[in-house]
Amino acid sequence: MTTIASIGTGNMGTALIQGILSADENITVRATTNSAASAKRLAGEMPQATVTSVEEDADANATAATGADFVFLGVKPWMMADALRALAPALEPTTVLVSMAAGVASADLAQLAPQNPIVRIMPNTPSSIGHGVIALAPDAEVAADSVETLRSLLSGAGLVVDLDESQIPAMTGISGSGVAYFFLLAEAMIAAGVKQGLSEDAARQMVVATADGAGRLLTRKPDPAAQRKAVSSKGGTTLAGLQEFIDAGIFDIAEAAAQAAADRSLEMERENSEVING
Ligand SMILES: NC(=O)c1ccc[n+]([C@@H]2O[C@H](COP(=O)([O-])OP(=O)(O)OC[C@H]3O[C@@H](n4cnc5c(N)ncnc54)[C@H](OP(=O)(O)O)[C@@H]3O)[C@@H](O)[C@H]2O)c1
């Protein structure tokens, strides 16, 4: 049976582990948090996992990681150095480290745990319901069968995309962070509906169901331009609305957003590299 230690199990760690467990319950999960309060809440959300906290047991991370096949690292990027440094002596050389941290390069993680193979992943939050996108970038030390096992585990959380680590900032810009852009659009559309006289409740219900429907249609026929053109009759309402988005520079806005997130990812890599390498 595969054993996963999830070190730092907050929003993203919980989303991933829940996605994995929803597809395969035959996995041992040991999850840790910093505070006892978070551990208590997590134990309620994830009854299949053994949950411990650093507040209650200073060795909780090392104990959870000992003998695990995969150690998922889900602490905030700037906490990674301290957490991994403390954990490294407890790791067996065969244990694969799986870092989900935005802006921490594998080469820097390797400084902290030189004996262990490292996989960098970049997930997004729909992973908790099996509809995430998870980029998978293993370093050269990771055995092919470990990559295969990890790919299969993560596929419970969503679409797994193999990438080179150098492509992670670009992926972050459209997918890791990209899910929030869709939420922002939904927020803006609800506000617009309210301005047009709808109640907030009605506007929210309609926008959420519209997003769901659009997503499902797009999944069936993954050509957004064709889908858009199919609903844009000449002289019609949709074309009038779309023209506003186009005139306001929607393509430039998306490009700038993707670039800003990718740039920030690289900037974080540099900042975290300085922290790790002193
Ligand atoms: N959120 C996203 O959409 C997203 C997307 C892609 C990647 N990521 C990456 O995922 C990672 C986690 O982000 P998040 O949003 O899930 O943060 P989060 O919700 O704050 O979760 C962090 C978790 O780490 C725990 N923790 C802190 N220090 C610890 C320690 N020394 N030992 C064990 N656990 C410790 C926290 O416990 P307490 O609750 O007790 O403090 C919490 O459970 C980050 O590296 C981030 O870059 C996030």
Side-chain angles (χ1 to χ4, degrees), residues 18-87:
Q18 280 178 334
I20 290 171
L21 283 171
S22 70
D24 185 351
E25 288 187 349
N26 206 20
I27 292 165
T28 301
V29 175
R30 306 173 193 150
T32 70
T33 65
N34 189 38
S35 66
S38 292
K40 191 172 173 204
R41 193 181 56 245
L42 185 62
E45 285 172 23
M46 225 194 263
Q48 309 95 317
T50 307
V51 184
T52 51
S53 74
V54 173
E55 187 186 343
E56 290 169 303
D57 172 7
D59 293 329
N61 289 340
T63 305
T66 302
D69 299 296
F70 296 97
V71 171
F72 282 40
L73 299 165
V75 296
K76 290 288 190 191
W78 57 90
M79 296 175 176
M80 188 64 90
D82 285 348
L84 187 48
R85 215 172 259 128
L87 188 66

Side-chain angles (χ1 to χ4, degrees), residues 58-261:
D59 293 329
N61 289 340
T63 305
T66 302
D69 299 296
F70 296 97
V71 171
F72 282 40
L73 299 165
V75 296
K76 290 288 190 191
W78 57 90
M79 296 175 176
M80 188 64 90
D82 285 348
L84 187 48
R85 215 172 259 128
L87 188 66
L91 296 172
E92 286 171 25
T94 50
T95 297
V96 178
L97 293 173
V98 181
S99 168
M100 65 190 76
V104 183
S106 292
D108 289 315
L109 294 172
Q111 299 286 331
L112 299 164
Q115 291 193 355
N116 292 86
I118 294 168
V119 180
R120 189 163 165 199
I121 62 172
M122 179 49 61
N124 63 12
T125 48
S127 298
S128 64
I129 52 166
H131 289 278
V133 178
I134 306 115
L136 185 67
D139 73 13
E141 312 303 318
V142 190
D145 60 338
S146 295
V147 176
E148 206 34 64
T149 304
L150 186 60
R151 186 182 288 118
S152 158
L153 289 170
L154 291 171
S155 66
L159 175 72
V160 181
V161 185
D162 293 289
L163 290 184
D164 187 81
E165 190 182 4
S166 64
Q167 297 171 304
I168 294 263
M171 186 278 179
T172 304
I174 61 161
S175 180
S177 303
V179 71
Y181 311 161
F182 285 99
F183 295 149
L184 180 67
L185 179 62
E187 252 181 276
M189 285 172 63
I190 292 166
V194 171
K195 272 211 164 163
Q196 292 290 313
L198 297 169
S199 73
E200 188 169 344
D201 240 26
R204 186 182 308 280
Q205 272 185 29
M206 287 187 278
V207 167
V208 169
T210 302
D212 185 37
R216 285 172 197 247
L217 272 183
L218 205 49
T219 305
R220 284 194 188 176
K221 188 176 176 192
D223 183 344
Q227 294 274 12
R228 169 172 63 81
K229 284 174 190 152
V231 291
S232 309
S233 351
K234 196 160 180 259
T237 58
T238 307
L239 202 54
L242 283 170
Q243 199 56 51
E244 292 295 323
F245 278 106
I246 289 164
D247 290 349
I250 182 84
F251 284 89
D252 292 341
I253 292 170
E255 190 181 324
Q259 184 71 56

